[in-house]
């Protein structure tokens, strides 16, 4: 069906097991009044189908909106536990994305990656102009839960992004957020896929650090300007949907 695939930004490893899906969706079913233990599976399904689109939308848990995705405030050594999308039910979807690669179920060239500072589009915190001391304090606080297992982790991250923070703490903040949320996971997925031995096609990873020549308006409130390689920048470049007026491009 496919000769190859290219994924831009975001994680492509968004599948979950059926048990994980049931656990994730249980609060939604309960909020809609369809989770009574006395109900059969068919009765629960009929109950859900009897709800209006407005009722279902209102019952969607806030966690499904990936809170903290573009910030450091909710960092957890056990993972962020974001909502998954397709459930591996064994019928419609038979393999997780990772397993499909490991087993060679889809063996075609694959390229995936992200921009270098995805969250610069609308970060949870605007750190532009923050002092180096404030940046170190933010890292220490955000990584406090990691410290018992990884002593000095705040200082280590600060040193790893020293070149970026020398330009602007905002660049270091969004680069670190992007690396732990996307870049590192993509690399781990690619290594795991090839380690299985059944996936023979090449896997290409990219990180795009090319950024707008001049700052452009972001998506957040307050008129914050985007300076680095933000989310959707790679797509805009590929489609030439530049965030500038035509007169500015000519």
């Amino acid at each position: 069906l496919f000769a190859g695939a290219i994924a831009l930004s975001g994680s492509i490893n968004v599948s979950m097991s059926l048990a994980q899906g049931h656990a994730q969706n249980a609060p939604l079913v309960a909020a809609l009044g369809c989770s009574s233990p006395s109900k059969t599976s068919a009765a629960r399904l009929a109950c859900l189908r009897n709800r209006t689109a407005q009722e279902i939308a209102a019952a969607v848990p806030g966690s499904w909106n990936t809170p903290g995705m573009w910030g450091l405030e909710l960092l957890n050594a056990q993972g962020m536990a974001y909502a998954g999308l397709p459930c591996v039910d064994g019928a419609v979807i038979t393999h997780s994305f990772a397993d499909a690669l490991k087993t060679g179920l889809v063996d075609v060239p694959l390229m995936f990656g992200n921009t270098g500072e995805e969250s610069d589009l609308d970060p949870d915190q605007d750190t532009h102009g923050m002092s180096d001391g404030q940046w170190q304090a933010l890292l220490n606080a955000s990584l406090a839960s990691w410290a018992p297992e990884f002593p000095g982790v705040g200082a280590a991250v600060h040193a790893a992004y020293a070149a970026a923070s020398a330009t602007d703490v905002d660049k270091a903040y969004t680069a670190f957020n992007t690396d732990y949320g996307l870049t590192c996971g993509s690399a781990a997925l690619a290594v795991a896929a090839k380690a299985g031995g059944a996936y023979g096609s090449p896997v290409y990873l990219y990180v795009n650090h090319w950024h707008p020549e001049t700052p452009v308006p972001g998506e957040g409130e307050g008129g914050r300007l985007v300076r680095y390689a933000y989310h959707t920048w790679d797509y805009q470049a590929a489609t030439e949907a530049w965030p500038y007026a035509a007169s500015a491009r000519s």
Side-chain angles (χ1 to χ4, degrees), residues 18 26 58 73 75 110 112 154 156 165 171 179 197 214-215 236 249:
L18 188 58
E73 296 75 16
L75 270 177
L110 174 64
F112 59 100
S165 62
K171 183 174 185 180
D179 284 347
T214 58
Q236 291 173 340
R249 298 198 301 266

Side-chain angles (χ1 to χ4, degrees), residues 199-227:
Y199 184 84
S201 298
V203 178
Y204 303 95
L205 297 177
Y206 74 88
V207 178
N208 170 29
H209 290 287
W210 175 53
H211 56 81
E213 184 176 357
T214 58
V216 298
E219 288 191 347
E221 300 177 356
R224 180 184 178 280
L225 294 177
V226 174
R227 298 171 174 80

Side-chain angles (χ1 to χ4, degrees), residues 18 22 27 39 41 46 71 88-89 127 142-143 152 156 159 165 170 182 191 194 203 213 224 227 230 234 237 248:
L18 188 58
H22 283 160
K39 291 182 181 291
S41 296
V88 182
D89 59 1
T127 55
S142 301
L143 295 165
S165 62
D170 211 29
L182 295 175
V191 170
K194 299 300 288 186
V203 178
E213 184 176 357
R224 180 184 178 280
R227 298 171 174 80
Y230 59 89
D234 45 5

Side-chain angles (χ1 to χ4, degrees), residues 42-230:
R44 293 180 185 179
L45 180 59
C47 177
L48 291 171
R49 286 175 171 170
N50 195 43
R51 297 294 182 259
T52 65
Q54 291 78 8
E55 290 173 327
I56 294 174
V60 170
S63 61
W64 287 20
N65 197 35
T66 58
M69 181 175 68
W70 282 354
L72 308 184
E73 296 75 16
L74 299 180
L75 270 177
N76 189 301
Q78 306 307 314
M80 302 293 283
Y82 286 140
L85 295 178
C87 293
V88 182
D89 59 1
V92 178
I93 300 177
T94 58
H95 295 73
S96 69
F97 184 80
D99 286 343
L101 291 180
K102 291 178 184 177
T103 60
L105 179 66
V106 179
D107 193 353
V108 297
L110 174 64
M111 175 185 291
F112 59 100
N114 47 267
T115 60
E117 294 83 26
E118 293 265 348
S119 60
D120 195 39
L121 181 64
D122 185 18
D124 287 1
Q125 182 175 351
D126 187 357
T127 55
H128 179 61
M130 178 181 282
S131 71
D132 188 66
Q134 291 172 319
W135 168 231
Q136 179 69 84
L138 175 60
L139 286 173
N140 291 340
S142 301
L143 295 165
S145 66
W146 299 59
E149 187 175 358
F150 304 101
V153 62
V157 172
H158 181 269
Y161 292 86
S165 62
T167 299
D168 183 2
V169 168
D170 211 29
K171 183 174 185 180
Y173 175 97
T174 54
F176 174 47
N177 171 267
T178 299
D179 284 347
Y180 75 70
L182 295 175
T183 309
C184 293
S186 294
L189 183 63
V191 170
K194 299 300 288 186
Y199 184 84
S201 298
V203 178
Y204 303 95
L205 297 177
Y206 74 88
V207 178
N208 170 29
H209 290 287
W210 175 53
H211 56 81
E213 184 176 357
T214 58
V216 298
E219 288 191 347
E221 300 177 356
R224 180 184 178 280
L225 294 177
V226 174
R227 298 171 174 80
Y228 308 111
Y230 59 89

